Amino acid sequence: MNKKYHIHTFGCQMNVHDSEKIAGVFSETGYQEASGFNEADVIVLNTCSIREKAEQKFYSELGRLKKIKKNNPNLKIAVAGCIAQQKGGKLFERFPYIDFIFGPNNIDKLQIWVTGNTVNSALEDNPDYSIKLIPAKREGRIRAWVSIIYGCNNFCAYCVVPFTRGREMSRRVSDIYNEIQSLAEQGFKEITLLGQNVNSYGKNLKITVDFPDLLKEIHKIEGIERIRFVTSHPRDLSDKLIEAMRDLPKVCEHIHLPIQSGSDMILNLMNRGYTYKEYRIKINNLRNAVHDIAITTDIITGFPGETEEDFQHTVAALSEIEYDGIFAFKYSKRPDTKALDLPNHVEDKVKSERLKKILDLQETITYKKNIRLKSELVEILVEGYSETDANKLTGRTRTNKIVNLYGEKEDIGKLIKIKILEAKLHSLFGEKVLT
Ligand code: SF4
C-alpha cells in the first residue's frame, strides 16, 4: 500500500508555495496525501519564524506530534522552513523524536530522505537551488504561485529572512517562462510571481534582465489572463516597473508596498532605505500611472525607539495614503537581527494599544473604499465556491478584492463582469452582468 504524507504549513505565501513543492516531491516519490495527522506515515511541519507567535505555534504542534508518535512509533516527523534553518541540529537535542530537518533552500534534498537514505538534515548552502526544477503539487487549478527570486539581501533590522532564506538568488527567465507556459496549458488563468523582493529580480543573473523585463516576457504567454506579484521593496520600485504596470494589460492594478512606519527616524533605524517623502512620491507616481490601483501595505507598531510622535507619523501616513488594506503587527524580537540590540524597546502594552489604533483606523478606511465600489461594474476571476457559504461562488477583482455572488458551476475559472450590490469590510457581494 502507498505511504501517505501530511504537511502542516505555518506563515506566509512563500511557505504555502514551498509546501506545494514539498507535496510535489512526495508525489513524485509515490506518496499520497493523507487526510490528516492520524492517517499519515510522514508529517512535515513547514515552519515560520517571522514572529515569536508563529514560532510558539510550531512548538505546540510539535508537542502534539510527540503524543501521536508514541502511539505510532513508525511515524516519521520532518521539520522544514525558517525555524528548521535557524535552529538546525539544536532541534534534535530538544525534540529527539524529529527524524529529518531541512531548510527552505533544500527542498530538492527531501527526496534523498524520503527514498530511505540515512540522512537526518539538509541545511547546507545550496547555490544551485535557483536552477533546480522542483515539481509543485498545487492547491488550486485556477491561480498559481511561481517563485522568481529566493532569499533577500536587505537586512531590515527586524527581519529574520536573510538569515533563514539566505541571499538573493533569481531563477532563470527560461525556467520561469516554461513553468508558466506549462501552467497555462493546464488551464491556470492567474499567476502570482513570488519573492521577498521581486524588484531585485535579475541582479545575480548572467544576462542583463530586470523585473519589468521579466513581466514583459511572461505577458506573452497565451492563456494567462492575470499577472500579480509580491512583494515589492519601496526603495527598489522603479519608474520602469510603474510603466510596465501601466502598459501591460494582464498585470493587475494592485501592489503590496510595505511602508512599515511613517516616521523617518524609525525607517532609518529599521534600515529600510527610504524616507516617508520618497515613499509618498512613489505612491503618487503609481496612482498617476495606473488608474484606480489598489495599494496594500505592512505596518509594525512599537519598533524599538518608537515614540508617540513617531507613531503619530504612521497614523498620519495611513490617513493620507488611504490604503486598500494593511497587515499590521506588533514588533517581535527575532534572533540574530540588529533591532535586538537597539535601545528603548517599547512596552508590550503600548505596542498592543498602537496596533489596535492602527487596525481600527484602517477598518474605517477599507470600509469607506469598499462602499465607493457599490454599483460599479468590475471584472472578477471566479475561483470556486465560497468557504463561508457553499451556495455562493467567490472570486477576486483585478484589485484583489474578494467578491461573492450567486452563479453557475460553469463560471468557475472564468473572467466575468459583476455589478457590486453590497460592500462589507472584508468582501463585496455582486451579481453577474450578462454581456
Ligand atoms: S526586504 Fe527586509 S523585511 Fe523584506 S524579507 Fe528582506 S529583510 Fe525581510
Side-chain angles (χ1 to χ4, degrees):
M1 213 174 79
N2 276 341
K3 289 197 168 180
K4 294 191 173 172
Y5 70 90
H6 179 76
I7 305 169
H8 184 105
T9 310
F10 302 83
C12 64
Q13 301 102 328
M14 215 72 67
N15 262 19
V16 173
H17 185 42
D18 280 350
S19 287
E20 292 181 331
K21 294 178 194 167
I22 293 169
V25 173
F26 276 112
S27 290
E28 285 236 314
T29 325
Y31 275 67
Q32 285 178 356
E33 195 171 351
S35 58
F37 283 147
N38 289 324
E39 208 199 28
D41 299 285
V42 183
I43 294 173
V44 180
L45 298 181
N46 191 9
T47 62
C48 168
S49 72
I50 199 85
R51 276 174 287 278
E52 210 176 333
K53 227 181 189 170
E55 200 168 323
Q56 290 314 326
K57 276 190 198 162
F58 155 66
Y59 289 124
S60 81
E61 206 59 41
L62 200 53
R64 206 155 76 91
L65 291 193
K66 187 180 181 184
K67 290 178 203 138
I68 298 179
K69 189 154 177 166
K70 212 171 168 192
N71 295 330
N72 174 13
N74 292 328
L75 174 70
K76 301 277 183 228
I77 297 172
V79 178
C82 290
I83 298 177
Q85 187 65 44
Q86 201 171 38
K87 305 280 182 212
K90 284 188 197 142
L91 283 175
F92 288 125
E93 288 163 26
R94 257 185 89 185
F95 310 100
Y97 53 97
I98 295 174
D99 296 281
F100 186 61
I101 296 176
F102 62 112
N105 291 347
N106 277 302
I107 295 173
D108 55 320
K109 311 270 178 63
L110 173 64
Q111 191 155 17
I112 301 171
W113 177 68
V114 173
T115 49
N117 291 289
T118 45
V119 286
N120 63 5
S121 67
L123 300 163
E124 60 279 6
D125 277 351
N126 193 0
D128 291 338
Y129 186 67
S130 64
I131 56 170
K132 298 277 167 65
L133 300 176
I134 305 168
K137 187 169 177 287
R138 299 184 191 265
E139 281 181 5
R141 308 300 307 159
I142 295 159
R143 308 161 69 219
W145 308 104
V146 176
S147 303
I148 63 164
I149 178 169
Y150 301 117
C152 183
N153 290 356
N154 284 318
F155 292 93
C156 298
Y158 50 83
C159 183
V160 80
V161 165
F163 305 98
T164 58
R165 290 186 176 264
R167 300 298 97 77
E168 287 169 3
M169 277 191 282
S170 297
R171 292 182 67 205
R172 296 183 293 214
V173 176
S174 55
D175 289 341
I176 298 168
Y177 188 96
N178 292 341
E179 183 175 339
I180 297 173
Q181 176 76 54
S182 156
L183 290 167
E185 284 160 14
Q186 293 166 54
F188 284 87
K189 294 285 187 305
E190 179 179 304
I191 50 137
T192 302
L193 306 173
L194 273 184
Q196 303 294 342
N197 179 13
V198 292
N199 298 334
S200 258
Y201 177 78
K203 283 183 186 160
N204 67 311
L205 291 174
K206 286 189 186 121
I207 57 166
T208 308
V209 62
D210 60 15
F211 182 54
D213 297 334
L214 179 73
L215 282 178
K216 280 177 206 150
E217 276 309 298
I218 292 166
H219 198 268
K220 294 175 191 160
I221 298 174
E222 268 182 48
I224 297 298
E225 313 261 13
R226 289 177 165 192
I227 302 171
R228 303 185 186 276
F229 53 87
V230 278
T231 292
S232 284
H233 192 297
R235 185 201 54 219
D236 300 328
L237 176 76
S238 64
D239 290 345
K240 187 174 169 186
L241 176 59
I242 295 175
E243 282 158 22
M245 291 186 78
R246 180 194 64 197
D247 297 339
L248 299 173
K250 290 181 185 177
V251 176
C252 291
E253 295 83 7
H254 171 229
I255 191 163
H256 186 69
L257 200 63
I259 184 173
Q260 307 298 6
S261 169
S263 153
D264 286 346
M265 203 274 289
I266 296 298
L267 287 172
N268 186 35
L269 287 175
M270 286 178 167
N271 192 28
R272 290 292 288 172
Y274 53 84
T275 61
Y276 177 64
K277 193 174 167 202
E278 286 161 350
Y279 180 93
R280 192 71 186 88
I281 288 170
K282 297 209 179 187
I283 296 281
N284 285 349
N285 293 346
L286 279 162
R287 284 186 167 150
N288 288 336
V290 185
H291 181 62
D292 275 347
I293 188 169
I295 301 175
T296 52
T297 202
D298 296 334
I299 306 269
I300 294 173
T301 63
F303 185 78
E306 184 187 74
T307 61
E308 182 57 28
E309 194 188 336
D310 294 315
F311 173 66
Q312 287 308 325
H313 285 304
T314 304
V315 172
L318 285 199
S319 303
E320 189 180 42
I321 294 171
E322 295 203 319
Y323 291 102
D324 292 76
I326 63 167
F327 297 96
F329 299 94
K330 294 188 280 184
Y331 165 73
S332 175
K333 287 181 181 173
R334 298 289 67 212
D336 302 324
T337 57
K338 266 198 164 169
L340 276 182
D341 301 326
L342 288 174
N344 305 321
H345 278 250
V346 177
E347 256 183 84
D348 192 58
K349 186 170 160 275
V350 176
K351 285 190 222 171
S352 300
E353 285 166 2
R354 290 180 184 167
L355 178 64
K356 185 172 182 318
K357 281 182 193 158
I358 287 286
L359 291 173
D360 288 350
L361 170 61
Q362 184 57 40
E363 277 198 0
T364 61
I365 296 170
T366 302
Y367 187 56
K368 187 174 81 181
K369 295 195 98 164
N370 284 353
I371 290 275
R372 278 188 210 140
L373 289 170
K374 247 174 118 173
S375 304
E376 292 281 309
L377 292 182
V378 294
E379 176 204 271
I380 67 163
L381 174 60
V382 183
E383 292 165 21
Y385 287 99
S386 161
E387 277 177 17
T388 49
D389 181 348
N391 294 316
K392 288 182 191 154
L393 296 174
T394 189
R396 272 166 211 265
T397 64
R398 289 175 59 91
T399 52
N400 212 29
K401 294 180 195 292
I402 294 169
V403 182
N404 297 312
L405 70 148
Y406 292 108
E408 316 297 324
K409 194 177 170 205
E410 294 69 46
D411 291 327
I412 296 172
K414 290 192 184 140
L415 293 169
I416 59 171
K417 274 262 160 2
I418 291 288
K419 183 175 181 186
I420 301 297
L421 301 177
E422 201 185 329
K424 298 180 190 166
L425 181 58
H426 299 295
S427 67
L428 303 160
F429 176 73
E431 68 178 3
K432 192 171 163 182
V433 176
L434 297 174
T435 45

